[in-house]
Amino acid sequence: MSARYPIPDLAPGVFHREEETIRRSRFIVTLAHAPDTASAHAFVQAIRREHPDATHNCWAFAAGAPGATARVGFSDDGEPHGTAGRPMLTMLLHGGVGEVAAVVTRYFGGVKLGTGGLVRAYQGLVRIGLETLPRRERIIPVRVEVVIDYTQVTLFHRLLPTFEAVTVAERFGVDAVFEVSLPHERLAMFEAALVEMTGGAVLISVIEDAGCDGQGPATGQDATAQAAFSQHEADGEEDKAG
């Protein structure tokens, strides 16, 4: 998994929305930050409650790094099989944004679009939503403890900005002890620089690594359950003319 990637710059409960009319049908795409499957499903339910009278509330989510498929789900919500949820998911997976969920709400306008037209409509709405979606960078942090001699403290502080590192705690006893937070991807280079700076007279230990906080691929029963859920959502729709 990449140590940093774009995610929606949206607070919990804040959504991004675009709308388009296609052959009299009103399509509304709503996107949200979905760092996990629970938040994705909660978001879908919120949109369903907001639009209970809609003809369809089709949805998809990818709750991981861009392109990762370990935590995904989708639903056609009554549209013909394969014309909404899966095309929406495909767009999310190739949109360059991680931890994102989308619901496309359709109010039928009386004109059928056909299967090809439905795929284009649902993919197109997600594409529009992604194009205007506010984004920020997700940085996976790691916290380390660094023990150095007092003679190295000034050089140590000068080194921190190079690795986007910040001191979060410090203790002074026989040696100078610092707790430092920095991007996970910078850790190896930071350690090498400290060894070079001190001539090897440094102790470095990892205190907390958010790169192992469950954001990686699902494994074991979680992966099996998610795969089964996604298949159920994909196959459990009632086909209807679109």
Side-chain angles (χ1 to χ4, degrees):
M1 179 179 65
S2 173
R4 61 174 74 199
Y5 50 82
I7 61 174
D9 188 12
L10 300 170
V14 176
F15 307 142
H16 175 68
R17 180 165 288 170
E18 298 287 348
E19 183 174 334
E20 190 172 67
T21 299
I22 302 174
R23 299 185 68 183
R24 299 184 188 175
S25 283
R26 181 188 178 198
F27 288 87
I28 306 165
V29 61
T30 309
L31 292 95
H33 181 211
D36 49 49
T37 57
S39 59
H41 290 302
F43 160 65
V44 171
Q45 293 304 317
I47 301 304
R48 281 176 168 168
R49 289 192 297 269
E50 182 182 357
H51 297 280
D53 57 338
T55 314
H56 307 282
N57 282 295
C58 305
W59 54 266
F61 69 83
T69 58
R71 293 185 176 91
V72 300
F74 59 90
S75 171
D76 293 320
D77 193 39
E79 290 282 28
H81 178 71
T83 61
R86 185 176 290 277
M88 290 171 61
L89 177 62
T90 298
M91 186 58 60
L92 291 181
L93 290 174
H94 293 85
V97 181
E99 302 178 9
V100 61
V103 176
V104 175
T105 301
R106 182 188 184 190
Y107 287 90
F108 183 56
V111 179
K112 295 182 179 181
L113 302 182
T115 56
L118 288 172
V119 170
R120 289 189 294 272
Y122 282 99
Q123 278 195 333
L125 263 293
V126 175
R127 180 187 299 109
I128 291 171
L130 288 173
E131 287 175 349
T132 56
L133 178 69
R135 307 178 184 191
R136 63 180 173 87
E137 191 173 56
R138 181 181 190 271
I139 299 175
I140 300 176
V142 59
R143 183 176 291 197
V144 298
E145 182 180 82
V146 178
V147 182
I148 56 176
D149 186 80
Y150 283 97
T151 60
Q152 303 291 338
V153 170
T154 298
L155 291 176
F156 171 78
H157 284 300
R158 290 176 181 173
L159 192 67
L160 295 180
T162 303
F163 299 95
E164 302 178 73
V166 294
T167 300
V168 295
E170 55 186 32
R171 302 190 304 275
F172 299 102
V174 176
D175 296 301
V177 182
F178 299 92
E179 289 185 18
V180 178
S181 177
L182 72 159
H184 184 275
E185 63 187 23
R186 300 278 194 174
L187 178 58
M189 293 183 293
F190 181 61
E191 290 175 331
L194 286 174
V195 170
E196 180 179 359
M197 182 190 78
T198 63
V202 59
L203 294 177
I204 308 168
S205 56
V206 175
I207 301 173
E208 181 180 5
D209 189 349
C212 300
D213 64 354
Q215 290 294 325
T219 58
Q221 293 181 349
D222 288 342
T224 302
Q226 183 57 49
F229 168 78
S230 296
Q231 190 62 43
H232 170 75
E233 291 295 332
D235 295 341
E237 304 297 336
E238 178 185 358
D239 287 351
K240 297 180 180 179

